[in-house]
Amino acid sequence: MAQAPAARPALFYIECLRFIAAIAVVVIHVLGPYREWVPELPWHQWLPPVSLNAMSRWAVPIFVMVSGALLMSDQRPFNAAYYLRRRLAKVLLPFLAWTVIYALIGGFQDGIWSWQVSAELLENSPNEHTWYHLWFFYDFIPLYFVIPLLAPLVNKMEQQRVLLLLAAWLVLTLMYWLKVETPLRQNIIMYSGYLLMGWYLFNHDQRGQLKFWLATGAAMLAFNVLGSAYYIWLQGEYSSVFMGYKSLNTAVIAISLFVLVKAYAERVPQGARPLIKAVSKYSFGIYLVHPLLLIPVRDPANGVYQWFAHSSIALVVLTAVVMVLAFAFSWLLTRSSVTRWLVP
């Protein structure tokens, strides 16, 4: 019988990447309602959420890059049974379970639960997510079938050939941003590029280019914020021109963050490391459960955002509270063997 591969030691900079990505995802979903309220708000109220939105879209790409870095760099003999059971099933089964859970929750309409609404959500779930954050899995799960095919190829390719592939992918991200039509703009191709980029940055030292990536990432963040503010000011309503997960601006920011966190993570004070490691450990659970906590917050009838004097205060406080509660909820679910698999 084939032996399961030994566990890989944790890398602190990978934990840091998961930590910041988990926070960024919660930020994006906390500020979500402000996108609808932009026409009704003065500029100083919509600018903070719009700016944070423009600055945080790298969160999903970072999660994909981390997966590429770890799974595609694994040099141990490939064990298909182990991979399907411990890698794919670890994501697929929770996704299916939470699809059902959120479909049941979605059945509540005006305080009354309707089986018909929940059944319709489940019936449509092969093509449409039952809750807004579950879209990620429709693009992420197919990548688990790309990794076993892509990993042995790139691990044997010359570096220059890999760089050529990455350059071609970056061109695609630019075409995606500019909405240039091409059959290559498929999600599985676009997100596979993040897998490859994560693998490349994991295995190739970029410390000689830190100033470049710091300047490039900062410039693109500023470009996103100023561009978003300009378009919204011009149109008088929310604009997502700078918000694409698969566009060049987002890719550049994600790459810059990966390089910089890898280079500087060891400078994080020892006192902060237990928190970072804990949030990293439960980042998948936080991603899955935090929209539950946001249901009463995002309901306009409850007026939660109006409790605060300014949108910037609301975003900071609500993000912190939701992060803490989502972490606690995820931790509680792991305490029982019955529910542990829901937040692996």
Side-chain angles (χ1 to χ4, degrees):
M1 181 177 176
Q3 296 293 318
R8 182 202 302 269
L11 296 171
F12 182 62
Y13 83 85
I14 294 293
E15 293 175 317
C16 287
L17 287 168
R18 289 198 185 107
F19 171 78
I20 62 173
I23 295 174
V25 164
V26 174
V27 167
I28 291 169
H29 293 154
V30 166
L31 61 81
Y34 282 105
R35 291 177 291 199
E36 305 297 327
W37 301 337
V38 162
E40 307 165 15
L41 299 174
W43 70 267
H44 62 85
Q45 289 281 7
W46 60 251
L47 187 59
V50 164
S51 299
L52 279 175
N53 203 12
M55 295 169 64
S56 304
R57 309 304 285 190
W58 46 265
V60 165
I62 285 290
F63 278 128
V64 179
M65 290 170 71
V66 165
S67 296
L70 298 179
L71 296 180
M72 289 177 56
S73 299
D74 196 337
Q75 298 295 323
R76 298 169 294 185
F78 183 73
N79 182 326
Y82 174 83
Y83 183 80
L84 293 173
R85 184 178 70 254
R86 296 297 302 274
R87 300 297 187 207
L88 177 58
K90 188 177 180 180
V91 175
L92 178 61
L93 295 180
F95 162 67
L96 294 175
W98 286 100
T99 291
V100 174
I101 291 169
Y102 280 106
L104 295 175
I105 294 171
F108 282 94
Q109 303 286 325
D110 299 322
I112 301 173
W113 184 73
S114 167
W115 163 248
Q116 184 177 356
V117 174
S118 292
E120 185 175 344
L121 288 171
L122 287 172
E123 182 181 352
N124 295 332
S125 63
N127 299 304
E128 184 67 30
H129 43 272
T130 59
W131 212 257
Y132 55 85
H133 68 309
L134 295 178
W135 73 265
F136 171 65
F137 294 91
Y138 289 78
D139 290 321
F140 186 59
I141 290 174
L143 297 180
Y144 276 84
F145 296 95
V146 173
I147 290 169
L149 302 176
L150 190 58
L153 294 177
V154 297
N155 278 292
K156 293 180 180 179
M157 288 175 66
E158 298 172 4
Q159 182 176 347
Q160 293 300 312
R161 295 181 188 273
V162 175
L163 288 173
L164 183 60
L165 279 177
L166 289 172
W169 169 68
L170 287 173
V171 170
L172 281 179
T173 65
L174 177 60
M175 294 172 70
Y176 183 91
W177 195 10
L178 299 177
K179 295 181 171 55
V180 178
E181 293 301 328
T182 168
L184 296 176
R185 265 182 47 186
Q186 300 298 318
N187 283 359
I188 195 166
I189 294 176
M190 303 301 293
Y191 284 113
S192 292
Y194 281 118
L195 288 177
L196 181 57
M197 182 61 77
W199 169 87
Y200 182 82
L201 297 177
F202 183 85
N203 290 285
H204 295 84
D205 189 10
Q206 300 292 312
R207 281 178 291 184
Q209 291 79 42
L210 291 181
K211 290 183 179 179
F212 168 80
W213 286 115
L214 177 60
T216 304
M220 194 56 73
L221 279 173
F223 182 63
N224 276 11
V225 171
L226 295 174
S228 296
Y230 172 74
Y231 267 88
I232 290 174
W233 187 276
L234 194 66
Q235 299 175 6
E237 59 183 11
Y238 175 75
S239 170
S240 61
V241 171
F242 298 88
M243 310 294 180
Y245 290 116
K246 296 160 286 186
S247 57
L248 181 63
N249 56 326
T250 302
V252 168
I253 295 169
I255 295 167
S256 301
L257 277 173
F258 195 106
V259 170
L260 294 170
V261 171
K262 182 180 180 181
Y264 295 116
E266 290 307 318
R267 299 189 184 185
V268 173
Q270 292 294 328
R273 295 192 179 202
L275 173 63
I276 292 172
K277 292 181 178 182
V279 172
S280 170
K281 180 180 179 180
Y282 294 103
S283 58
F284 189 29
I286 291 170
Y287 186 94
L288 286 166
V289 307
H290 78 273
L292 282 175
L293 306 169
L294 283 172
I295 292 173
V297 175
R298 289 169 58 116
D299 186 346
N302 294 329
V304 174
Y305 293 89
Q306 285 69 41
W307 296 351
F308 304 90
H310 199 269
S311 61
S312 56
I313 301 173
L315 293 177
V316 171
V317 174
L318 292 175
T319 297
V321 171
V322 171
M323 277 294 299
V324 170
L325 293 178
F327 175 87
F329 191 13
S330 299
W331 180 84
L332 285 172
L333 289 174
T334 62
R335 296 306 93 189
S336 170
S337 59
V338 177
T339 56
R340 186 178 299 129
W341 63 278
L342 288 169
V343 286

